[in-house]
Amino acid sequence: MAEENTGGVGSAPGRGPGAGVVADARSELDTILECLTRLEAVDWHEMDGHRLHEVFGIGEQLERRLAGVRAAMLATIEANGLWALDGQRTFTAWLRTRTDATAQSASRQVRHARALRDLLPLAREALAQGRISEEHVGVLVRRATTTNRLRAQLADEDLGEAFLVAQAQRMDAGSFARLVETWAIATDPEAADRAWREDGTKEQLTLSRTLDGYHLNGWLDELSGQSVDTALRAHMGRKAKGDERTPAQRRAAALTSLARQSLDAGEQGKGARIRPHLTVTADIETLRALAAATGSPKPPVTASGREHEPGAELGFWEEATFSAPGGPRDPDHTTDDPFRLSPEAQAWMDTWQPGDTHVIAAAIDPRAMTGVQPATMEDGTPVPPAMLARLVCESSLSRVVFGPESTVLDVGREQRIFPAHMVRAIIARDKKCQVPDCDEPPGAGEIHHSIQWYRDGGATCVEHGILLCWHHHDWVHAYGITIVRAAGRWYFYTRHGQLITAKHEQT
């Protein structure tokens, strides 16, 4: 079918000055087909090993360059519109019929061809010259072209498409995917947080009983998947001598071991406050930027100068917490140091007392995180700002100082923002998850707190922490929920300023 397709492109002589070029292209492709036909007779086992490796490299170049030619052809065929004469409703449907491809494959080919034509001219040139592969192109299309901000960044002279293509030529597609993800998070942190939020809603797990056992199926986001994978690998351990089980069989045994260990402990969620199984590495400047990017703990004011009223149906929207004194958009903040507060913010911090109204904002200002180096998981996977805030909120922090050539100069003791005695005090006060209509007990709970307060140098206080179940702790960070403490009560607001109330409080 590919031969027929080529013939269709090469026909119609006499259409203008480019007709000779089209005819030559048809002739060149016919020559390639003839060469491939002759190669079918080659006995590769008879070829010298080193020579075979060289030939394989040539074959890789041929595949890459033909992929570039094919993408250019597809973009042109779609543009000229003749495909519609075949009666297909979409170009993807035409391609699927023409090439016997699956719907997913045809859709992917069309997306790549369009992106190379409209958004990635340097990648198109690199693919046509065999300097990068189709997999590199797929990474760019999936991760570097999805938002307006990312597409605008591609035109940047220093950190745009030219930079990404240059990196692609030096690394495999897997490593390149992590680099592009890091680039994308630094360029558009708001979109990265939104993607994490949407991935969380797609998580699912089914456990179906069959005639002779259970069938397990599902999907997890990056953070959950790494947590489960790390736990399973820890239970799998090193393969013992004489163990003839496959990795899949050992993984199934590890999952069963995890479940039995949880049941044997007799306390669901035991040790939920500590996450020793997941390591995230972040530069100190990244953590500083994260702390400075969250909303101010000082209650914001309205246009008339009145403070937002805790418990009102509307208030404490994220933009207001950003622009409040001490927030990332504080109009009175005039220094480049995000840890130096404006005079009004500093005065509020100095006079605040336990029991006074204050805000725990989870929303993160994407402007403040734009261009900031993302934190990474153990395998180098970059972490969006909102996910990092979630992890920082309920983690143990260790300081590691590196010297030249990554030499470890100093390692600090593992610390938590909230020590154990304060955690016990918060649990004794709140008793259960404080989100309206949730009654999860402390055993499934975690402490959510203000990162801003830590940045501003305020004393750690139980007033700054709230008991949430792990599910609602994720929810607060993923959806930028603002929590207000006033007169001994907690109030929850959406990022748009709508009060979240229990069902029995709704009228």
Side-chain angles (χ1 to χ4, degrees):
M1 299 196 77
E3 194 169 355
E4 293 179 6
N5 187 11
T6 306
V9 175
S11 58
R15 286 188 177 177
V21 176
V22 174
D24 289 341
R26 167 62 189 266
S27 175
E28 295 294 341
L29 289 173
D30 283 340
T31 300
I32 293 175
L33 285 175
E34 292 174 3
C35 292
L36 291 174
T37 300
R38 290 194 295 272
L39 286 174
E40 293 177 5
V42 174
D43 185 353
W44 301 108
H45 294 282
E46 297 296 326
M47 183 175 291
D48 174 74
H50 295 291
R51 182 69 171 173
L52 182 59
H53 283 206
E54 293 176 1
V55 172
F56 182 82
I58 296 173
E60 172 66 19
Q61 281 292 303
L62 181 64
E63 182 177 358
R64 292 184 179 192
R65 302 186 78 159
L66 282 175
V69 171
R70 180 183 176 85
M73 291 169 60
L74 283 177
T76 304
I77 293 172
E78 181 183 26
N80 67 34
L82 291 178
W83 58 268
L85 299 180
D86 287 352
Q88 300 293 344
R89 296 180 60 185
T90 66
F91 181 59
T92 300
W94 176 87
L95 179 62
R96 180 162 54 89
T97 303
R98 189 78 172 179
T99 62
D100 295 330
T102 64
Q104 294 84 354
S105 175
S107 178
R108 182 180 64 253
Q109 291 180 60
V110 171
R111 285 197 308 273
H112 288 191
R114 290 170 178 168
L116 290 171
R117 177 191 64 196
D118 301 332
L119 303 172
L120 301 167
L122 299 181
R124 179 180 69 235
E125 179 182 351
L127 179 63
Q129 295 174 357
R131 292 185 282 118
I132 64 174
S133 69
E134 275 192 288
E135 289 194 65
H136 291 104
V137 171
V139 169
L140 288 171
V141 174
R142 289 192 307 273
R143 302 172 187 261
T145 64
T146 53
T147 70
N148 290 333
R149 187 172 295 173
L150 294 177
R151 290 190 286 269
Q153 181 67 23
L154 287 172
D156 186 84
E157 292 184 2
D158 298 323
L159 292 173
E161 185 191 2
F163 164 77
L164 295 176
V165 170
Q167 298 302 313
Q169 295 174 210
R170 293 197 284 266
M171 57 183 65
D172 61 82
S175 300
F176 183 60
R178 286 192 289 272
L179 180 139
V180 176
E181 185 70 17
T182 300
W183 174 88
I185 292 175
T187 300
D188 195 350
E190 184 176 16
D193 287 343
R194 184 169 59 249
W196 175 55
R197 206 160 48 235
E198 292 171 353
D199 282 347
T201 64
K202 293 187 292 185
E203 286 191 323
Q204 59 172 320
L205 181 68
T206 58
L207 184 62
S208 307
R209 186 158 195 163
T210 64
L211 292 177
D212 56 353
Y214 284 84
H215 180 262
L216 187 67
N217 188 33
W219 185 89
L220 301 173
D221 69 11
E222 186 69 40
L223 177 59
S224 300
Q226 290 218 17
S227 298
V228 172
D229 181 54
T230 304
L232 289 176
R233 284 189 285 108
H235 273 252
M236 287 170 66
R238 297 183 61 182
K239 188 172 182 177
K241 184 177 181 180
D243 187 349
E244 298 181 353
R245 295 177 300 170
T246 66
Q249 291 172 326
R250 296 176 63 230
R251 197 174 296 114
L255 179 61
T256 304
S257 174
L258 274 172
R260 288 175 176 170
Q261 182 184 70
S262 176
L263 294 173
D264 291 344
E267 183 181 346
Q268 185 180 9
K270 185 176 182 180
R273 291 200 63 256
I274 300 177
R275 298 283 193 263
H277 53 285
L278 187 62
T279 299
V280 175
T281 304
D283 292 341
I284 184 62
E285 294 304 321
T286 299
L287 294 176
R288 284 168 59 91
L290 180 71
T294 54
S296 171
K298 183 183 186 303
V301 297
T302 63
S304 62
R306 292 188 303 106
E307 282 193 355
H308 288 217
E309 180 183 352
E313 292 186 1
L314 187 65
F316 299 94
W317 48 88
E318 66 173 26
E319 295 289 338
T321 67
F322 290 161
S323 57
R329 302 181 191 175
D330 182 353
D332 295 327
H333 186 268
T334 57
T335 70
D336 293 333
D337 184 359
F339 272 49
R340 179 170 296 179
L341 300 177
S342 64
E344 184 179 354
Q346 188 63 59
W348 184 85
M349 283 288 300
D350 293 340
T351 58
W352 184 89
Q353 296 291 328
D356 292 349
T357 300
H358 67 282
V359 176
I360 303 177
I364 297 173
D365 184 4
R367 299 183 195 172
M369 294 302 294
T370 299
V372 175
Q373 179 74 13
T376 59
M377 295 184 184
E378 292 172 292
D379 66 351
T381 300
V383 178
M387 184 190 294
L388 177 61
R390 167 67 178 90
L391 293 170
V392 169
C393 197
E394 184 60 20
S395 299
S396 296
L397 305 179
S398 297
R399 172 180 54 84
V400 181
V401 180
F402 292 98
E405 300 181 356
S406 299
T407 303
V408 177
L409 300 181
D410 187 31
V411 180
R413 294 180 61 187
E414 189 176 82
Q415 297 181 1
R416 301 183 66 86
I417 294 178
F418 272 92
H421 71 282
M422 287 192 175
V423 171
R424 289 192 291 269
I426 293 172
I427 291 174
R429 180 197 64 200
D430 292 343
K431 296 182 175 59
K432 65 179 185 65
C433 176
Q434 293 297 292
V435 172
D437 288 327
C438 184
D439 56 3
E440 284 291 327
E446 300 174 338
I447 306 301
H448 172 64
H449 56 82
S450 172
I451 302 177
Q452 269 276 11
W453 203 275
Y454 178 74
R455 179 205 73 164
D456 297 339
T460 302
C461 172
V462 294
E463 285 284 298
H464 307 151
I466 177 175
L467 180 63
L468 302 176
C469 67
W470 67 265
H471 167 74
H472 280 124
H473 200 178
D474 280 352
W475 170 75
V476 163
H477 282 283
Y479 290 91
I481 303 299
T482 296
I483 304 174
V484 182
R485 179 73 171 175
R489 287 195 59 184
W490 295 109
Y491 299 94
F492 292 75
Y493 286 87
T494 69
R495 65 194 318 145
H496 304 297
Q498 295 174 314
L499 179 66
I500 300 171
T501 59
K503 289 182 178 180
H504 73 273
E505 295 177 349
Q506 298 174 3
T507 57

